[in-house]
Each structure stands twice: as structure tokens, then as C-alpha cells.
Amino acid sequence: MQFPESWLREFCNPPLSTEKLAELLTMSGMEVEELRPVAPPFHGIVVAEILEAEQHPNADKLRVCKVNAGGAEPLQIVCGASNARVGIKVPLATVGAELPTDDAAKPFKIGVGKLRGVESFGMLCSARELKLSDDHGGLLELATDAVIGEDIRRHLNLDDTLFTLKLTPNLGHGLSVFGIAREVAALTGAPLLKAEFPPVKPSIDDKLPVRVEATDLCGRFSGRIVKGIDTKAKTPAWMVQRLERCGQRSVTALVDISNYVMFEYGRPSHIFDLDKISGALVVRWGKPGEQLKLLNGSTITVDEKVGVISDEREVESLAGIMGGDHTAVSDDTRNIYVEAAFWWPEAVMGRGRRYNFSTDAGHRFERGVDASQTVEHIERITQLIIDICGTADTRIGPMDDQAPNVPGRQPVALRVARAAKVIGMPVTQADCEGVFKRLGLPFASAEGVITVTPPSWRFDILIEEDLIEEVIRVLGYPTLPSTAPLAPIVGRTGSETRRSTHALRRAVAARDYFETINFSFVEERWERELAGVTDPIRLLNPIAAPLAVMRTTLIGSLVQVLRHNQARRATRVRIFELGRVFKRDSSVASGPLNVAGIEQPLRLGGLAWGPADQQQWGQRDRGVDFFDMKGDLEALFAPQTLTFEAAEHPALHPGRSSRIKLNGEPIGMVGELHPSWRQGYEISGGAPVVFELDVDAALLRALPQGQPLPRQQAVQRDLALVVKDSIPHDALMAAIAAAGGALLRSAKLFDVFKPAAGSSTDLQADERSLAVRLELLDDEATLTDERIDAAVAAIVAASSNQVGARLRG
């Protein structure tokens, strides 16, 4: 919300400086985000009138002007502006004046100059040269009643300050200059100028029939006909100035009047071209398939969840948000219909974002607009139309006001003792009553309890805590005492069998991965292709059209980060994310942290692409592969042992992906990205390797247990076992572990041999040799050759029986 300080002080003028007023508003909850002067510093600029404007003798685009600046004699000024003409009043920078530049420390000084042989004693200025706007179309033309010789800063009120407020959604009553003034009056006790709306006397009996069919959409609808106006009338300079200082450009007189009253009193309204309306207006919910071309040029399709105003032929307006192009006023318009209504906030909320735009009207209606003054605001608009666009033929119709469902406000009780406890300092009943009087909140008092009936403009007062907030913000947050908190301090330690998510992040980062944080809403394509989900959870109001569904996997987000880095020529990417995914689950009940029917588990996902290690002179670059990622996961879970079994996943390469298991339970997947998705998502270079697993499983850890050092010497034996290519490593190791018994401490694969095609070996084409190192140990006695040989023989026999292995010759 942006507005000039001078407009605010017309309604309420407390004896406070600009800075103190800004601090007061901020401390009351209406944060002043920025204070900015209307114009930069400059001096020596006065109002001047052009008396003569003749062609320069030596230049086609220059004119020699004689101007009256209030001095004894007219001044000669050479000017190149196309609109320099006799009779207009413009800003004149006199000799010695300083104009603003981009560098505030180096202003542009005006002296006596000579242009093409003709002397110039000053400079006529445009708005751009004064840094008032970017318009450089010509000289800044001033009002005809401007006083010649008056300082331009005084004439245009350029010593004003622009306030920019950052209002929270509950402060809809602050979205107008009068609303802010009402708050300032309550906070300071300064008098508030009462808003008066003298009724305009009707001169005709014409009424436009209006039928409100959807009372849950529109609670009150007011309007009147105005005929015989001049829509080509020029908007007064004072109104244009105020609109510009509110951040709103001038459009036409009728549009400017509507916008002006919206900024003044917070009431959005709409003006229809009466002659373009077919029959009666109907306020209703839309019908599926109906289309409407809006004032912004876009054509939308409405449905039964969108409110509209239609006539007997077609939809004419998007209720509470934007008017339609068909009934928009134009230069040819002579008769209009002025409408002001109360639209229920729930009926307007999110409808503009649904069509990817927002409006000032929708912003206000979805926060709540006073339903009690629709008639008064139409009276204000009508009077401005008469004053600015009125003609001798202007005729005013009677007011048509329908109120089928005006909101009623429920009383809210405030317990004084409760307020004192929540605020943290003593407050009396008289203090609370004084606050409510200053705010204009009707109340009834009983011993220790004040019952407040919220006024029509306060949609944010619903519970007792809302009233407590009003009490302390008006009394002033600086009045709160500095009180140290008093509470028992109880140390809480987590279980040693479970590490924190922060520790998990540090452990992954220690493996040379960088953490990323991504949106939980993603493109529907990612869910369909990378997760195999055809019916994801959809967002009602996505922040962008592509980000329309909730993710069920982290893989899409990680791939997108990889694409982002590749676009910036990254050569090595190792990233991870710890975040939630969202899945449909009818067994999930609603709770403080749950939504019924939606499971929200935490997942840990990672992606590696590019060289396996940082570049160095001691070894050649090697692309990261499945086994690098497998090693990272095993290190992350150590000393627990992970197992991997071949499995398929929609996002992963069918022959190079695996299910991750911990203690026999599946906890995630790891593998190369599917070649189709590498191509579809334009992933260059080698194949990225990704993993995703349940965080709960990753947080569990085994407590370390002390073991004595062995008293006997361990014995190692190496076996070269020939097995079929189809026999997985895990199956062989399981057979060895079962046969080794108590003597076998470990069995590790240290070499794989596969002969080249055509070479002479005792291995068949579908066989490979696996070299396994066995570690045997008996804590109680020294191992003899007989016991060692027997254990090795048992292992070889079991391997042969279970997986068909044989000793390599």
C-alpha cells in the first residue's frame, strides 16, 4: 500500500514528524517498508508562462521563447520541446538553478548558454529532467491557475513523502488512505476528519434491473445510472498527482475516479457502459464453458466456482476482480452504470491467481471490504463524475441498493485478566475500554469482561487473542517491560540409537555432496515419468503453471538441479536433498501435523554426475558409476550392513539399478538414470547416478559395543571360485558365510576375472572367476592346518552345492 503523506494528513494530522509517524505505524503492526521523497533535491525552478514561441533562425527543431517568470522583464529561452507554445505554463530552471542527476553529489547547474548563436537565459523543463517521471514527451505542462514565479516544489507539493506499507493479510482495513488515517487517529488521539457523503439528488427515474442469485457470492449490490456525461473530459491534475503517488497511472477520467475512491476509502467499484448491457444484470456463479474477455485483453473460461456478473446475453464481469471488455467505457460512452458491491472474501479468494493475474480490487475483496457503505461510496463517485465529466445534459438516476446477505459480526469477549497474562504486563479494564473507544469498536462491559462487537470494516477480529493484540498495539509495544522468562529448564537428550537429521546432513556432506533445497511442488511430467504416478496430488493455486502437483519422489528435483548446473557449464555435480514427499494414503488421519489421506514421509535423495574424484595429476579422470554411489551409501550406514538386489524403478536404468535393503527390509533405490530420461531431460555427458531412501531408516544406528582383542593369530586363505555370470555376488557370499561357521570372521571379494574373447583358459564364455579372501580365527585355540583345511573344504563344497561354484585350476 503506497500513498503520499500529505493525503494522509488531510484526514488525520498528528503533531509528529514523518519519521516518528512511520515508526508509530510500524510499531502498531503496519510495517512501513519504505519512506521516499516525491522528488529529489533541486532548487531554482519556478512556474513560467510562455509569451512568445518563434522558430529558431538557425535550427529547424529549436524555438526561441519569451517567458514570464515573474521578473521585471521576460526571459529569452531556447527550447527544443515539441509542445512549446504560447499560453502554457511550464517549469523554468533559472540561471543558477541546480537540476537533479543520477549522481546526487553532482547536480546539473544552469547558466547562460548560447544555442546556434542565440542566447538562452535558463531552461524549460520536462518531468523527466526534474526526475518526476520517465516521460520525456515534452515540457511538463502545469495547471492554468499556477501562480507565475512560484517555486515549483511548492506548486507541485514536491516536499511530500511517499509511504509504502507492507500489510499482513489480516489488515484489509488498512488498504486505503482513510483506513490508515483511522488507525493513526486511534494511535495518537489526533482528530479524524469525518468522511461525509452528501447524497446526489436524482433527476431521472431510470433503474437498471439487477438480480442477485448467488447470495453466498454477493452480500450487497448497489448501483445507479448516470446519463449524458463527457468521457473525454480530462482528469484534474490534483487527482492524477495523487494516483501517481499511489503507484497508479492515469487512464481516463472515469477509470481514474473509480481508482481514486478505491485508494481513498478502500472501496473497489466498477463502471459499465450502460448502452452495451443487454437487459438486466444477474449476479451468479459461472457456468462451465462460459467465456469472458477481460479488460486486460485476455479471454478466460469460467466454471461454477467463479463468480460473475452477466446480462441476458453473456458474462460481463469477473465478480470482485475485473470487468469485461464488452461493457468497458470508451470515448464514445455517454451513459454509464456505477456499481459497488460487497463480495464475500471466500468467493473471491484465489480466483485471480487461478487465471495468473492479480488486481487491486481482488486484493481488497479477498481480505474483506466494508459492506455498510456501498451506497455512500457510490454517492462519492457520482459527485466526482458530475464535477469532472458532467455536462449540461447530465442526469442522475436513483440509488438501487440490494442487501440479501450482509455479513453479521459475532461478539467477541475479552477477559481482562487473560489479556494481562498474555501481554505480560498489568492492564486494567479502563485501559482496554479506552483502546476500544479509540479504535471505534462498540463494546459492552461487565466485571472483568469486555464484549466487543466488531464493526463492519474489521474482518480480522474473530477470537479473544485478536482483541488482546489490539490492546497492546494501541497501548504501544515499547511500553512492554523487559521481563526475563521464567520457566523450568529441563534437559532432553535424544536416544543414542537415533541420530538427528542435522547429523545425517553433515554425514552426507562429508561424502562430498552439496545440499540443495527445492520446492515440494513440481511439474506433473516429472511425476509421470520419474515416479510412474498418473494421479498426483494437485495444487489448487500453484505459484506457476508448471509447478502444479506435489512430488512423490526427490529424483525430479535433483535432475532439475543437475540441468541447472550443466547449463552453467559445471563439470562435476554431487548433490543431495533431505525433504518430504507427498503420497495418497487413506489410512492417514487428520492431526496437528497431518492432513487426512496424505502421507508425508521424509526422504533422503542424492545425485552424482561427472568425474568420480576431483581432478588431480596422480590419476586419470573416471566417470562416477553405480559402485561409487554404493560405496557412499555403505559408508553412510556403517557399521550397519546394506544389501543390494536387482530391481526396477521408472526413473532408473533397468539393468543398472538396485533396491537397497537394511536388515532385510527395503529402504530405497539406487541406480543410473534411465537413458530415455537422460535424453528427454537433455542430460549431457555420462549417466548420473541417483539414490533415494527413507530418512527414518538412515537415522537409526547401532550402538558401539566393546570387544576384547583376539588372543590368537588370524589365518587368511584365498579362493578363486568359478561361477556362472548369472550367479550374483550376494548368493556366493551367503553360501560361504553359512558354511564357514564360527571360524569364519570375514569373507571379502578382492578380484574378478573375466577372460577376453578368444583367449585360452579353463573358463567358459558364460563364467567368471571371483577371488575371495577368507579370514579364519578361533579365540580359544590356535588353528591347525587340519582345522583350516576342513573349514576351507566345507566352504568350497557348500559353494559348489548351492551356487555351482568350482575351484579355478
Side-chain angles (χ1 to χ4, degrees):
M1 174 65 187
Q2 178 180 301
F3 59 89
E5 180 184 4
S6 59
W7 197 0
L8 173 67
R9 290 188 181 272
E10 284 188 8
F11 287 109
C12 182
N13 190 14
L16 297 174
S17 66
T18 300
E19 291 72 20
K20 291 292 185 181
L21 179 58
E23 182 182 3
L24 176 72
L25 287 171
T26 297
M27 293 306 297
S28 72
M30 295 186 169
E31 179 186 353
V32 178
E33 190 174 29
E34 183 185 21
L35 287 178
R36 179 165 52 90
V38 169
F42 59 78
H43 65 83
I45 318 294
V46 299
V47 177
E49 181 181 9
I50 299 178
L51 303 177
E52 298 179 9
E54 299 179 354
Q55 185 66 43
H56 192 291
N58 301 319
D60 294 337
K61 295 184 179 181
L62 296 179
R63 294 186 181 185
V64 180
C65 301
K66 292 293 179 66
V67 301
N68 178 12
E73 298 290 336
L75 298 175
Q76 179 174 282
I77 308 293
V78 179
C79 176
S82 59
N83 64 332
R85 62 187 187 278
V86 175
I88 65 171
K89 294 180 179 180
V90 295
L92 168 66
T94 58
V95 174
E98 293 185 348
L99 291 177
T101 64
D102 293 335
D103 186 352
K106 297 180 180 180
F108 180 72
K109 296 183 179 180
I110 301 297
V112 178
K114 183 175 288 188
L115 282 80
R116 295 290 183 94
V118 178
E119 286 189 317
S120 180
F121 297 89
M123 172 180 163
L124 301 180
C125 302
S126 67
R128 185 176 181 181
E129 288 160 341
L130 298 179
K131 300 293 184 184
L132 300 181
S133 73
D134 294 330
D135 182 16
H136 196 48
L139 300 177
L140 174 60
E141 298 187 27
L142 305 175
T144 56
D145 59 353
V147 179
I148 296 174
E150 183 181 20
D151 189 286
I152 198 69
R153 298 193 72 91
R154 179 181 178 83
H155 173 69
L156 295 178
N157 192 19
L158 297 182
D159 293 322
D160 202 355
T161 302
L162 298 182
F163 278 61
T164 302
L165 270 58
K166 186 178 181 181
L167 300 177
T168 52
N170 63 315
L171 298 177
H173 58 281
L175 289 170
S176 66
V177 178
F178 182 77
I180 301 296
R182 186 165 47 202
E183 291 296 309
V184 172
L187 295 169
T188 63
L192 175 67
L193 178 66
K194 185 178 179 181
E196 296 183 355
F197 308 96
V200 177
K201 186 177 180 180
S203 55
I204 56 175
D205 296 330
D206 295 4
K207 276 189 178 183
L208 178 67
V210 177
R211 186 170 69 256
V212 180
E213 294 183 350
T215 57
D216 56 340
L217 165 66
C218 177
R220 186 175 185 181
F221 193 96
S222 305
R224 77 166 5 143
I225 290 173
V226 180
K227 292 186 174 182
I229 62 170
D230 177 16
T231 54
K232 297 180 181 179
K234 187 176 181 180
T235 305
W238 60 268
M239 182 177 286
V240 172
Q241 182 188 89
R242 283 188 170 175
L243 288 173
E244 288 178 345
R245 294 180 183 182
C246 288
Q248 180 71 50
R249 67 180 180 87
S250 176
V251 184
T252 63
L254 286 177
V255 175
D256 292 345
I257 290 169
S258 177
N259 287 333
Y260 182 83
V261 175
M262 180 181 69
F263 285 113
E264 186 178 35
Y265 292 112
R267 163 72 57 189
S269 58
H270 187 62
I271 300 176
F272 295 85
D273 186 324
L274 180 64
D275 298 326
K276 296 178 182 177
I277 299 175
S278 301
L281 288 182
V282 180
V283 180
R284 58 175 174 82
W285 293 104
K287 299 175 183 178
E290 286 185 316
Q291 291 191 329
L292 168 65
K293 185 178 181 181
L294 297 170
L295 289 173
N296 62 8
S298 63
T299 300
I300 64 171
T301 302
V302 303
D303 57 26
E304 66 279 359
K305 294 184 179 180
V306 178
V308 299
I309 302 175
S310 69
D311 58 17
E312 294 180 355
R313 185 175 56 184
E314 59 186 321
V315 176
E316 301 294 359
S317 176
L318 197 59
I321 299 175
M322 185 181 289
D325 180 72
H326 177 254
T327 54
V329 295
S330 64
D331 290 345
D332 298 328
T333 299
R334 292 294 174 265
N335 307 315
I336 61 173
Y337 181 76
V338 184
E339 165 263 310
F342 167 74
W343 307 100
W344 286 94
E346 297 82 2
V348 178
M349 197 175 299
R351 270 54 173 195
R353 291 188 294 276
R354 179 175 176 178
Y355 299 110
N356 299 319
F357 67 85
S358 62
T359 63
D360 287 330
H363 184 74
R364 285 163 172 78
F365 278 123
E366 67 184 11
R367 284 157 175 77
V369 174
D370 188 358
S372 67
Q373 291 192 311
T374 56
V375 170
E376 289 81 354
H377 291 165
I378 288 182
E379 297 288 4
R380 170 68 168 156
I381 293 171
T382 303
Q383 189 59 58
L384 288 172
I385 291 174
I386 293 173
D387 295 341
I388 298 172
C389 304
T391 66
D393 298 326
T394 300
R395 292 161 294 165
I396 310 299
M399 188 70 66
D400 179 22
D401 180 34
Q402 302 180 45
N405 188 21
V406 176
R409 310 311 306 277
Q410 297 299 318
V412 181
L414 170 74
R415 295 165 290 175
V416 178
R418 166 73 174 164
K421 183 177 180 180
V422 172
I423 291 172
M425 73 176 190
V427 292
T428 65
Q429 186 154 344
D431 292 334
C432 298
E433 291 176 355
V435 167
F436 298 149
K437 286 179 181 177
R438 290 162 64 179
L439 289 171
L441 306 181
F443 64 89
S445 292
E447 185 63 32
V449 179
I450 304 174
T451 303
V452 174
T453 302
S456 57
W457 65 84
R458 293 299 297 268
F459 286 78
D460 59 319
I461 299 178
L462 301 172
I463 58 177
E464 185 179 25
E465 283 71 16
D466 295 330
L467 294 176
I468 295 174
E469 179 187 6
E470 295 300 302
V471 170
I472 185 54
R473 76 180 187 89
V474 174
L475 292 179
Y477 291 111
T479 63
L480 286 171
S482 299
T483 305
L486 298 176
I489 299 176
V490 180
R492 295 186 177 183
T493 58
S495 172
E496 291 186 68
T497 62
R498 187 179 179 87
R499 56 183 166 182
S500 67
T501 55
H502 181 66
L504 179 60
R505 286 186 173 96
R506 291 178 61 88
V508 181
R511 303 299 302 173
D512 199 23
Y513 289 81
F514 290 87
E515 183 175 10
T516 67
I517 300 175
N518 300 291
F519 285 130
S520 295
F521 21 90
V522 298
E523 294 185 29
E524 186 174 357
R525 175 193 175 191
W526 301 358
E527 287 299 300
R528 183 176 62 255
E529 296 177 348
L530 301 178
V533 177
T534 58
D535 184 26
I537 301 169
R538 299 183 182 278
L539 295 169
L540 294 178
N541 297 303
I543 62 171
L547 307 180
V549 302
M550 303 301 292
R551 65 184 179 184
T552 62
T553 177
L554 304 180
I555 295 177
S557 301
L558 296 172
V559 170
Q560 181 64 20
V561 174
L562 172 61
R563 294 179 63 194
H564 180 84
N565 280 268
Q566 284 192 345
R568 285 148 184 81
R569 300 188 181 277
T571 57
R572 184 173 186 266
V573 176
R574 294 172 71 88
I575 52 176
F576 79 95
E577 179 180 5
L578 195 155
R580 295 195 180 276
V581 298
F582 303 84
K583 299 183 174 184
R584 299 186 188 276
D585 186 347
S586 58
S587 65
V588 177
S590 181
L593 300 177
N594 295 325
V595 176
I598 306 297
E599 183 189 8
Q600 306 176 46
L602 270 174
R603 292 288 180 85
L604 175 65
L607 180 147
W609 171 85
D613 295 306
Q614 298 285 357
Q615 191 174 36
Q616 57 168 305
W617 65 269
Q619 65 181 25
R620 294 182 178 179
D621 284 348
R622 176 182 62 82
V624 68
D625 59 21
F626 173 89
F627 298 101
D628 293 310
M629 184 76 78
K630 178 174 178 286
D632 289 336
L633 292 172
E634 288 175 334
L636 185 65
F637 279 82
Q640 300 180 93
T641 302
L642 295 177
T643 56
F644 300 83
E645 65 177 26
E648 293 188 2
H649 186 279
L652 305 180
H653 192 301
R656 299 179 183 178
S657 59
S658 173
R659 181 177 294 108
I660 308 169
K661 286 189 172 183
L662 179 65
N663 300 325
E665 295 293 328
I667 63 170
M669 293 290 296
V670 60
E672 288 186 7
L673 189 67
H674 198 289
S676 297
W677 310 141
R678 286 173 55 195
Q679 182 179 5
Y681 292 91
E682 300 176 347
I683 304 298
S684 60
V689 186
V690 296
F691 75 85
E692 183 176 8
L693 50 84
D694 294 328
V695 168
D696 287 341
L699 297 180
L700 296 176
R701 61 180 179 181
L703 292 178
Q705 296 180 356
Q707 293 182 349
L709 293 174
R711 293 178 296 172
Q712 304 296 331
Q713 183 72 31
V715 176
Q716 293 183 344
R717 292 288 187 271
D718 292 344
L719 295 177
L721 299 173
V722 178
V723 297
K724 296 289 187 181
D725 290 340
S726 59
I727 302 299
H729 162 264
D730 287 350
L732 175 62
M733 301 309 290
I736 292 174
L743 293 183
L744 183 63
R745 286 301 178 94
S746 67
K748 295 181 179 178
L749 177 71
F750 67 89
D751 185 49
V752 178
F753 173 71
K754 180 74 174 176
S759 60
S760 177
T761 66
D762 60 342
L763 272 65
Q764 301 298 321
D766 60 345
E767 292 181 331
R768 68 184 188 278
S769 173
L770 304 180
V772 181
R773 177 158 295 161
L774 308 177
E775 183 180 12
L776 305 172
L777 176 65
D778 186 350
D779 286 334
E780 302 300 329
T782 301
L783 289 175
T784 63
D785 288 340
E786 291 78 8
R787 295 182 67 191
I788 295 171
D789 292 341
V792 171
I795 290 173
V796 172
S799 301
S800 176
N801 293 333
Q802 295 183 29
V803 297
R806 72 175 191 276
L807 281 174
R808 184 178 172 194

